[in-house]
Amino acid sequence: MAGALRITEGDDRVVVELHRPEVRNAIDRQMVDELHAVCASLEQTPRILILTGSDGVFASGADIAELRERRRDDALAGINSTLFARIAALPLPVIAALDGHALGGGAELAFAADFRLGTPRLRLGNPETGLGILPAAGATWRLKELVGEPLAKEILLAGRILSAEEALDVRLVSTLHEPEDLLTAAHELADRIGRQDPLATRITKSVFHAPREAHPVIDQLAQAVLFESEAKFDRMQGFLDRKKSS
């Protein structure tokens, strides 16, 4: 059976292309399993993850033919939600490069990323209630955090699909690029992330997602770890040396 992903590995990043063009990159159980394997690798060896689609589509949603046959126990297993939570919790940032449709489960996968870039033909939303279900893989709470309650309700309860410009206006995507430039823009963002200290980036992401009641203690403990790191001394000394010579 052909794989559902095309994976390109680099020293500091992994590019994962969703590749089920015959069904517009719909997310099925095979794709979920293969993405879990990617997560296992990135948990073991932290690198930046770039998620992208193929043939002008990020992901049209969950595979409806497969979803049609799922029952109560499948829902309780959290097939997609468990994966998307794992992606969101990866040690280093996740970049979603979104072209064409990012709908339903495809939108929820994008919401789990730390950064979202788009193209002018992006269409982003959650039409699940029109299919008699709800978006149970993160949209009901991540979307409210990302865009606020009023717009989240329009998307979740009234089936509103955002255009690229609308998504940009509410900062659901940070930038728009022509389709042929999208992956380059994702790599440029990964380059900027890669110039930061990896340990500092990793710890900052963890602290950012900590519950409110954990602050400020967790910030202080995290800073204590970083204050002892070799990179902190090297990078600060480099800053002082450059300032002295300027």
Side-chain angles (χ1 to χ4, degrees):
M1 181 184 296
L5 306 177
R6 290 180 173 176
I7 300 171
T8 305
E9 301 203 31
D11 291 338
D12 69 342
R13 72 198 63 177
V14 175
V15 179
V16 171
E17 177 188 321
L18 312 183
H19 190 72
R20 300 186 70 221
E22 70 281 1
V23 287
R24 298 170 63 81
N25 301 332
I27 300 169
D28 67 349
R29 189 58 186 263
Q30 180 188 357
M31 185 182 287
V32 167
D33 290 343
E34 291 180 19
L35 284 169
H36 271 298
V38 171
C39 288
S41 173
L42 294 175
E43 289 160 354
Q44 183 71 27
T45 306
R47 285 170 288 173
I48 299 162
L49 173 61
I50 298 174
L51 291 168
T52 188
S54 56
D55 290 2
V57 177
F58 180 67
S60 59
D63 190 307
I64 299 300
E66 188 177 271
L67 197 61
R68 166 67 178 78
E69 302 307 315
R70 288 184 182 171
R71 306 302 293 266
R72 175 189 60 200
D73 288 347
D74 297 306
L76 293 174
I79 295 169
N80 286 2
S81 62
T82 300
L83 170 65
F84 298 167
R86 192 175 186 183
I87 288 172
L90 285 171
L92 287 174
V94 178
I95 301 167
L98 310 174
D99 189 17
H101 287 170
L103 300 174
E108 291 182 296
L109 174 57
F111 300 156
D114 298 290
F115 301 93
R116 284 164 296 280
L117 313 180
T119 71
R121 61 191 182 191
L122 173 64
R123 295 296 179 268
L124 186 61
N126 290 92
E128 282 89 341
T129 53
L131 296 171
I133 58 173
L134 65 85
T140 56
W141 55 276
R142 281 200 182 97
L143 193 52
K144 181 167 61 175
E145 293 177 354
L146 291 168
V147 302
E149 185 173 317
L151 181 55
K153 284 183 174 177
E154 278 197 67
I155 294 168
L156 298 173
L157 305 181
R160 179 173 173 180
I161 304 298
L162 299 183
S163 69
E165 288 295 339
E166 289 170 330
L168 181 64
D169 286 345
V170 297
R171 305 301 294 169
L172 195 50
V173 296
S174 55
T175 54
L176 295 179
H177 308 271
E178 291 303 316
E180 62 271 19
D181 299 325
L182 180 62
L183 195 55
T184 297
H187 278 292
E188 289 173 350
L189 175 56
D191 289 341
R192 297 203 303 274
I193 295 168
R195 288 194 287 271
Q196 313 309 307
D197 174 51
L199 180 61
T201 302
R202 180 175 178 176
I203 290 179
T204 300
K205 178 176 175 176
S206 295
V207 170
F208 183 91
H209 288 292
R212 174 64 182 86
E213 58 271 17
H215 301 277
V217 173
I218 191 171
D219 303 68
Q220 295 162 358
L221 293 173
Q223 192 74 298
V225 171
L226 291 172
F227 271 10
E228 298 298 323
S229 74
E230 195 70 29
K232 175 250 190 179
F233 291 99
D234 291 345
R235 285 173 175 261
M236 288 193 176
Q237 188 60 53
F239 173 84
L240 294 172
D241 291 344
R242 289 192 299 274
K243 187 175 180 182
K244 185 183 299 184
S245 63
S246 64

